[in-house]
C-alpha cells in the first residue's frame, strides 16, 4: 500500500466554523477519569469525518494541530494540575503528555471553552487534570477508513508540548 506524505502547504484550509461544528459532535468536555461518553463522541467525530472528503479530514487535522499549538504557551504549561476529587492534595506539575492531553481537553470542550481559555489563562486550570488524548486520533482513524491508507501527513503546526517557541519565550 502506498502512503503519501502531504506537506503542510498542500493542506486544505478547513474553515474554523466547520472545525467547531465537527468538535461539537463529541458532546462536551472529557471527564477526569475514563469516560466512555467522550470515547463515543470521538467515534462519532471519526465517522462523520470518514463520510466526507479526504481533504476535509486533512483540513481537520490541520485545524486541530493549530488549536493545540495556540494553547502551547508558558502561561498554560507552567500551571500545576489539581485533582478535583482530592482538593486537599498539593497540585503537581504537568508532564509534557499531561499538558498535551489537557490542551486537547480544552479543544474537545468546544469553541466557547477554547476561547475562554485563550482570553483567560487561569481558566485552563479546570482542564489540567482532564485527558482529551482520544481527540488526537479521530482524523487519523477517519483517514484510514476513507482512503484505506494510514495517516501520514505533516501538519503546519507541531502540537507537541513546548513546540510553540514564541509561546515559551521568557518574558
Amino acid at each position: 500500500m502506498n502512503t503519501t506524505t502531504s506537506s503542510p502547504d498542500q493542506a486544505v484550509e478547513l474553515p474554523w466554523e466547520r472545525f467547531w461544528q465537527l468538535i461539537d459532535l463529541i458532546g462536551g468536555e472529557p471527564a477526569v477519569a475514563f469516560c466512555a461518553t467522550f470515547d463515543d463522541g470521538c467515534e462519532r467525530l471519526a465517522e462523520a469525518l470518514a463520510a466526507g472528503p479526504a481533504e476535509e479530514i486533512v483540513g481537520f487535522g490541520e485545524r486541530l494541530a493549530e488549536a493545540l499549538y495556540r494553547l502551547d504557551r508558558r502561561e498554560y504549561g507552567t500551571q500545576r494540575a489539581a485533582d478535583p476529587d482530592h482538593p486537599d492534595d498539593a497540585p503537581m506539575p504537568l508532564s509534557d503528555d499531561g499538558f498535551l492531553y489537557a490542551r486537547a481537553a480544552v479543544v474537545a470542550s468546544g469553541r466557547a471553552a477554547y476561547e475562554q481559555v485563550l482570553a483567560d489563562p487561569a481558566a485552563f486550570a479546570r482542564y489540567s487534570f482532564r485527558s482529551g488524548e482520544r481527540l488526537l486520533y479521530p482524523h487519523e482513524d477517519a483517514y484510514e477508513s476513507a482512503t484505506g491508507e494510514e495517516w501520514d501527513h505533516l501538519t503546519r503546526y507541531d502540537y507537541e508540548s513546548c513546540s510553540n517557541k514564541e509561546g515559551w519565550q521568557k518574558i
Side-chain angles (χ1 to χ4, degrees):
M1 172 181 330
N2 290 334
T3 58
T4 58
T5 302
S6 69
S7 65
D9 58 345
Q10 295 173 329
V12 172
E13 193 78 18
L14 183 71
W16 279 106
E17 189 63 36
R18 178 65 179 145
F19 173 79
W20 292 116
Q21 288 171 350
L22 290 163
I23 289 292
D24 285 346
L25 294 173
I26 295 170
E29 69 186 50
V32 173
F34 171 77
C35 182
T37 304
F38 179 64
D39 281 353
D40 291 346
C42 287
E43 286 296 321
R44 280 192 302 278
L45 173 58
E47 290 169 8
L49 285 168
E55 293 81 15
E56 183 173 72
I57 301 169
V58 174
F60 180 88
E62 281 289 333
R63 284 296 187 208
L64 176 61
E66 184 177 357
L68 293 168
Y69 181 85
R70 288 180 175 181
L71 292 172
D72 182 25
R73 306 184 63 82
R74 177 179 306 282
E75 59 264 38
Y76 305 113
T78 56
Q79 291 187 28
R80 299 172 73 77
D83 185 347
D85 291 334
H86 303 281
D88 295 331
D89 289 354
M92 62 185 110
L94 288 166
S95 67
D96 286 349
D97 284 345
F99 179 46
L100 171 59
Y101 303 157
R103 288 183 286 135
V106 172
V107 175
S109 298
R111 183 182 208 155
Y114 180 78
E115 290 176 354
Q116 177 188 21
V117 168
L118 283 177
D120 178 15
F124 182 77
R126 74 178 297 240
Y127 301 94
S128 66
F129 219 81
R130 298 178 186 276
S131 178
E133 178 184 10
R134 182 66 183 100
L135 179 60
L136 304 177
Y137 310 110
H139 62 287
E140 295 177 6
D141 297 342
Y143 188 83
E144 187 169 345
S145 177
T147 66
E149 298 177 357
E150 287 186 28
W151 175 269
D152 191 19
H153 296 272
L154 300 174
T155 55
R156 184 175 324 140
Y157 296 93
D158 181 357
Y159 61 73
E160 292 297 330
S161 295
C162 305
S163 64
N164 181 349
K165 300 299 181 209
E166 182 180 301
W168 285 91
Q169 289 180 359
K170 293 192 179 198
I171 298 174

